[in-house]
Amino acid sequence: MKKIVISAVNIVEAGTLAILRDCLAYLSKLAENEDVEIIAVVHKKALADFPNITYIESSWPKKRWINRLWYEYVSLKKVSKEIGPVFLWFSLHDTSPSVIANRRAVYCHNSYSFYRWKLHDLIFAPKIALFAMFTKYIYKTNIHKNDYLVVQQNWFREAMSRIFKINKNKIIVAPAHFNKAITDSTPNSEDVDLFDTYQFLFPASPNSHKNFEVICKAAELLEKRNLSKPFKIVLTVSGAENKYAAWLYKNWRQIQPIDFRGFVKKDELIELYQQSNCLIYPSKVESWGLPISEFSAYNKPMLLADLPYAKETAAGSNKTVFFNPENAEELAMLMENLIKGEEKDLKAVPLLKIAEPIANNWNELFTILMRD
């Protein structure tokens, strides 16, 4: 019987938690039919509780970064000896722990090492600035002891291969596939706002790297131009979440077209997708960019940051333009054209052909990780 260990002691929320749940759901079913034993090292079992899996819980590493590093590079070696023999140890959260296993792999999803942070990140989100500074060194520790790295996008594979001198054949691209809860995008007669007002949408968490300010600055420019048709920009921040959100609200609350909507639940977000004319996504760093994937299914205009992650996520979309995420004037011009009904800037984004190894689902991924 082959033992597979999934280590994810730092995962507790958001997209990484979804990845953990999906992974363990697949392995739970695999254990029913194959001669494998699944062990999960997690923060809390309740976060991803599935049958046919043995859980090792530890909340201590999450309390401080020094705890996390000690656990990854010291404690887990002892754990791996006690569990052993381990056929595959798969770390789902960037670090390559010091363990004893026949085969090792790490899921690299943190793209902060490619983020060009600025002084205001230190002021509003020092944790993100620190991630940008030190993620490269966290990745570097033990990275060459892995048999495989797993990333979500091809540009990430290219970057990891270049920075750490790793053969691309050892880096598996596993694109993020999401269930798109999409209905008919034709507006209802009740959606009067959609006919009278051109609505832009940027759904994101209130973090400084999301770059809300470039939209706010563009809105300020457009408000001064007295356009013949009204427009509205829905932002999923309220101004009360953190220092960055408060700064945004203080500086641009007087701009009438900006709707500081605040956090919205998934069903509300889907309604906003349906009601909005255009998605703006100016984030300066992402491992994927889920709203781009979701909104592209509506075949509506998208204004996206001219960055590798956005180009790859938007592949296959039909009405897209990429802009400099530092240039509010350029964004304002593109927004003005759309408000006027001019879509000449919008282009189709060609599909990207990704070289092997590539895995489109968990079965394909573990087939690669486990094969002799």
Side-chain angles (χ1 to χ4, degrees):
M1 177 179 287
K2 291 181 177 179
K3 288 185 181 179
I4 300 174
V5 178
I6 303 298
S7 60
V9 75
N10 202 52
I11 293 178
V12 296
E13 62 185 357
T16 51
L17 181 56
I19 290 171
L20 172 61
R21 287 173 174 164
D22 286 347
C23 177
L24 294 185
Y26 166 76
L27 291 174
S28 174
K29 293 180 179 178
L30 182 71
E32 289 182 357
N33 305 308
E34 301 290 338
D35 190 24
V36 294
E37 179 183 353
I38 311 300
I39 300 168
V41 184
V42 297
H43 180 74
K44 286 185 180 178
K45 178 181 177 180
L47 292 170
D49 190 2
F50 296 93
N52 309 312
I53 295 175
T54 301
Y55 288 86
I56 298 174
E57 296 178 286
S58 183
S59 58
W60 172 76
K62 184 68 177 172
K63 293 179 180 179
R64 297 181 183 86
W65 253 102
I66 189 66
N67 294 12
R68 165 85 188 279
L69 296 176
W70 181 271
Y71 193 76
E72 294 283 348
Y73 302 125
V74 179
S75 301
L76 281 181
K77 188 167 187 177
K78 180 181 178 182
V79 172
S80 68
K81 287 180 180 179
E82 293 171 349
I83 293 173
V86 175
F87 180 77
L88 170 66
W89 190 291
F90 188 16
S91 172
L92 279 190
H93 48 22
D94 302 306
T95 51
S96 300
S98 298
V99 296
I100 298 173
N102 182 57
R103 190 166 298 178
R104 294 161 64 173
V106 59
Y107 195 121
C108 303
H109 62 82
N110 192 323
S111 55
Y112 286 127
S113 56
F114 309 105
Y115 178 42
R116 296 180 179 178
W117 60 278
K118 294 185 175 181
L119 180 60
H120 94 153
D121 292 304
L122 280 175
I123 297 171
F124 296 121
K127 186 176 179 180
I128 288 174
L130 289 172
F131 274 144
M133 284 186 268
F134 296 114
T135 296
K136 186 181 296 184
Y137 301 101
I138 293 170
Y139 272 142
K140 186 176 181 179
T141 304
N142 291 340
I143 196 168
H144 290 98
K145 294 183 179 180
N146 291 292
D147 295 276
Y148 288 103
L149 275 61
V150 180
V151 299
Q152 290 186 345
Q153 295 191 319
N154 190 63
W155 75 266
F156 208 159
R157 168 161 63 189
E158 297 286 339
M160 295 295 280
S161 174
R162 182 180 67 254
I163 292 171
F164 299 110
K165 310 301 180 189
I166 297 173
N167 191 315
K168 294 176 188 177
N169 291 331
K170 295 180 64 176
I171 306 177
I172 305 167
V173 176
H177 292 286
F178 302 98
N179 294 320
K180 299 175 182 177
I182 303 302
T183 59
D184 186 2
S185 62
T186 304
N188 298 320
S189 58
E190 298 175 359
D191 295 331
V192 179
D193 235 16
L194 189 56
F195 294 110
D196 294 342
T197 302
Y198 197 98
Q199 181 165 299
F200 298 93
L201 170 67
F202 178 36
S205 55
N207 295 317
S208 61
H209 68 278
K210 296 293 184 179
N211 195 24
F212 282 90
E213 60 267 29
V214 73
I215 297 178
C216 294
K217 291 174 182 177
E220 190 173 14
L221 292 169
L222 289 174
E223 191 179 45
K224 295 175 181 176
R225 296 178 187 176
N226 297 315
L227 302 178
S228 59
K229 182 176 180 178
F231 69 98
K232 180 179 182 180
I233 304 170
V234 179
L235 306 178
T236 56
V237 296
S238 67
E241 296 90 344
N242 55 28
K243 288 171 65 176
Y244 175 64
W247 174 74
L248 291 169
Y249 186 74
K250 178 182 178 181
N251 283 276
W252 288 284
R253 64 185 175 186
Q254 77 280 5
I255 306 300
Q256 291 299 316
I258 301 179
D259 177 1
F260 287 94
R261 184 71 60 92
F263 173 79
V264 296
K265 296 180 180 179
K266 190 65 179 182
D267 56 345
E268 297 174 281
L269 179 58
I270 292 172
E271 288 184 13
L272 281 173
Y273 286 154
Q274 295 169 349
Q275 295 165 2
S276 298
N277 300 83
C278 174
L279 177 80
I280 306 177
Y281 210 83
S283 180
K284 295 179 181 179
V285 61
E286 295 288 338
S287 58
W288 187 263
L290 173 58
I292 299 173
S293 291
E294 294 178 330
F295 195 82
S296 64
Y298 290 94
N299 198 33
K300 296 178 183 179
M302 296 193 295
L303 306 180
L304 310 179
D306 189 8
L307 293 170
Y309 82 84
K311 293 180 179 179
E312 206 160 325
T313 305
S317 62
N318 296 315
K319 298 181 178 181
T320 301
V321 61
F322 299 97
F323 68 95
N324 181 350
E326 304 281 0
N327 192 331
E329 182 63 49
E330 180 187 2
L331 177 58
M333 179 194 69
L334 294 169
M335 294 170 68
E336 182 176 357
N337 289 342
L338 290 176
I339 294 168
K340 291 178 178 178
E342 300 173 6
E343 297 190 350
K344 62 181 184 299
D345 300 307
L346 303 176
K347 308 292 183 184
V349 183
L351 290 171
L352 178 67
K353 187 174 181 180
I354 301 175
E356 298 287 344
I358 182 171
N360 292 298
N361 52 57
W362 289 106
N363 184 59
E364 290 183 7
L365 177 58
F366 276 94
T367 297
I368 297 172
L369 295 177
M370 299 287 287
R371 68 188 175 194
D372 295 326

